[in-house]
Structure formats: structure tokens, C-alpha cells
Amino acid sequence: MIKRYKLLIEYHGAYFSGWQIQPDATTVEGELEKAFSKILQQPIDLIGQGRTDAGVHARGQVAHVDLGDDVDVQKLIFGVNGVSSNHVFIHEIEEVKADFHARFDASSRAYIYTLLKRPSPLHHDIGWVIPKDTDIRLLEECATLLIGEFDFDGFSKFNEENYTTLCTIFNAAIEEKEDRVLFHIQANRFLRNMVRRLIGTMIQVGIGKIKLNDYRELLFNPKADVKSFTAPAHGLVLEKVFYEN
């Protein structure tokens, strides 16, 4: 009998070319499938809730996998973590319903982008250093505009697989700390490069390179003649994937 399991995965994106398997590249999905297959001595297919780009990190990536009921899953995960790279770790495994789907059953996802107020050797690979004269108040105004459903075509990289570029933002907020600024965002779905282009363009507003009205125009009119800017991947972390049940 086959059982389905949900996995909670953390990884440091700097060491991977994203989540999805690619030829001649080290990816999170590829690393984990290789580890599962090595231990079980059979091919294993992991299904992730979605892709993360090269360099993007995760604290709460979710995937599902089907395993035989004769498998000691706790022992298996201990083994997978032991043979996998130190830059990826499975924190939890739990049995779920047979029809559970990591991607299609997800109701929303939450990301955090870390902006550093000053250079930090300890955090340089998980945060983007912003200019000292960045107006945090303008970043807050940009974030406030995002709540609701919008066409984010102007803030995303073209992807022929998109059936729509509409996304609903449930939460978007700026949290200022002593040495950093955190951009929190939660939505039902995200487009390719979407969060990075949102925060990258917000910084352009914050340093006076473009106007707040330009940001607003691109949000309400994705075909507007306004250029978006892409923030580096290493400041972005997938924090959590939400499921209704």
C-alpha cells in the first residue's frame, strides 16, 4: 500500500540553481530525490508546492512524496538528511490524505525579503544592503498599495506557463528594525521574479529614482511605460506555505 507524506524543507539557496530539477545543475529537488533514491534503491518523485529561483532561500518549502507503507519514514528522513548537502534539511514529515497535493492545495504563500541598513559580514548572503538615504516611509506607502487583487504582469518575468498574471495579496508590510528592514508579503500565488521586482522597484522609489506615482501606475496599469527593477535573489526567503486543512 502506498501512503502520501508532506515534507517541510529548509535550504540555503546560494548553493542551488533553484528548486526545480535542471540538466547539469544542482537543485534542491534534484539533491533530495537523489538522496531518497539512494536510500530506498528506487526512483522517487518529489512534488514541490512551487519553484524558487536560483539563490532564493526557504525556511518553509513544502513538498509531497509517495512511499510504501513498509518504509520507516522517520528513519528514512534521518538518512536523507545525513546523505544530503548540509545546505538543505527536511524538518518534518507527516502522513496526509492520498489526494493531498503540495502545490494545488496551497491557499497562500508568505515570503520575507531582508534589506540591510549597513554591510554585514554575517548576513551579506541573506540580505541586500540598501543606500543609507532610503526613505523607509516611502517603502511603507508602496507596500500598503499592494493589498488586493492586481495584474502583476509589470512586476514579473514572462512565463509562458502562466494561465493568468492576476494575484491576490493578503498582506504586505514593511517592518523596520535597528539594522535591517523586512518586507513581508503573503499572496495566493506569485509570479516569476514578482517579489524581487516589487521590492527592487520600491527601493527605486525610496531613493528617489522614480516617483511613488510611477510605482502606483505600474501596479494599476501593467502596460504602463514604467520600468521595474529586480532585487537580488539572496535577500528572499520563502517563509511559509499555508493550507486550509
Side-chain angles (χ1 to χ4, degrees):
M1 180 178 176
I2 299 297
K3 294 182 178 181
R4 179 158 294 185
Y5 295 89
K6 174 183 173 186
L7 307 173
L8 180 66
I9 305 162
E10 178 179 344
Y11 52 86
H12 195 303
Y15 299 92
F16 300 100
S17 296
W19 165 266
Q20 188 179 32
I21 289 179
Q22 303 173 44
D24 303 319
T26 300
T27 67
V28 181
E29 183 182 26
E31 179 79 11
L32 290 177
E33 285 191 0
K34 182 173 66 175
F36 271 94
S37 298
K38 181 177 181 179
I39 293 173
L40 295 173
Q41 293 297 295
Q42 65 183 54
I44 290 295
D45 185 25
L46 289 182
I47 305 298
Q49 64 80 30
R51 308 170 186 175
T52 53
D53 293 334
V56 174
H57 319 291
R59 287 192 184 91
Q61 172 70 304
V62 174
H64 75 253
V65 63
D66 293 332
L67 302 169
D69 61 0
D70 59 333
V71 175
D72 183 331
V73 295
Q74 296 301 329
K75 184 177 180 180
L76 171 63
I77 296 305
F78 181 82
V80 168
N81 285 332
V83 301
S84 297
S85 158
N86 291 332
H87 309 301
V88 58
F89 194 88
I90 300 174
H91 286 292
E92 298 177 12
I93 181 169
E94 63 172 308
E95 185 178 352
V96 290
K97 295 180 180 179
D99 61 352
F100 170 83
H101 198 285
R103 177 183 176 188
F104 298 131
D105 288 351
S107 57
S108 66
R109 290 91 168 155
Y111 283 86
I112 293 179
Y113 196 100
T114 299
L115 303 167
L116 301 175
K117 292 183 178 181
R118 59 175 182 262
S120 169
L122 290 177
H123 302 104
H124 75 279
D125 59 344
I126 56 172
W128 180 29
V129 180
I130 57 175
K132 292 181 179 180
D133 60 350
T134 302
D135 189 333
I136 306 304
R137 178 186 58 82
L138 287 174
L139 302 186
E140 293 171 344
E141 291 191 41
C142 288
T144 300
L145 290 171
L146 296 174
I147 306 298
E149 183 182 70
F150 296 96
D151 184 342
F152 286 95
D153 186 55
F155 284 106
S156 63
K157 187 174 182 179
F158 175 75
N159 184 351
E160 61 184 10
E161 296 180 7
N162 284 337
Y163 61 90
T164 178
T165 49
L166 292 176
C167 302
T168 301
I169 307 297
F170 303 121
N171 175 56
I174 293 293
E175 179 186 6
E176 186 174 8
K177 295 181 177 292
E178 181 180 355
D179 61 344
R180 69 194 66 189
V181 178
L182 304 178
F183 173 50
H184 300 265
I185 186 167
Q186 180 181 348
N188 65 330
R189 60 194 295 266
F190 289 94
L191 307 176
R192 191 173 181 184
N193 286 175
M194 179 175 151
V195 180
R196 292 169 57 198
R197 291 199 179 187
L198 285 171
I199 191 63
T201 311
M202 288 165 65
I203 293 300
Q204 294 298 304
V205 175
I207 62 177
K209 293 292 186 180
I210 65 174
K211 302 294 185 183
L212 178 61
N213 282 340
D214 293 327
Y215 189 89
R216 182 185 288 109
E217 176 67 14
L218 189 56
L219 181 62
F220 286 91
N221 177 15
K223 302 302 182 183
D225 187 21
V226 178
K227 181 182 178 182
S228 64
F229 296 81
T230 306
H234 67 267
L236 185 59
V237 176
L238 172 62
E239 281 290 311
K240 188 172 183 178
V241 183
F242 295 87
Y243 296 88
E244 293 184 354
N245 297 316

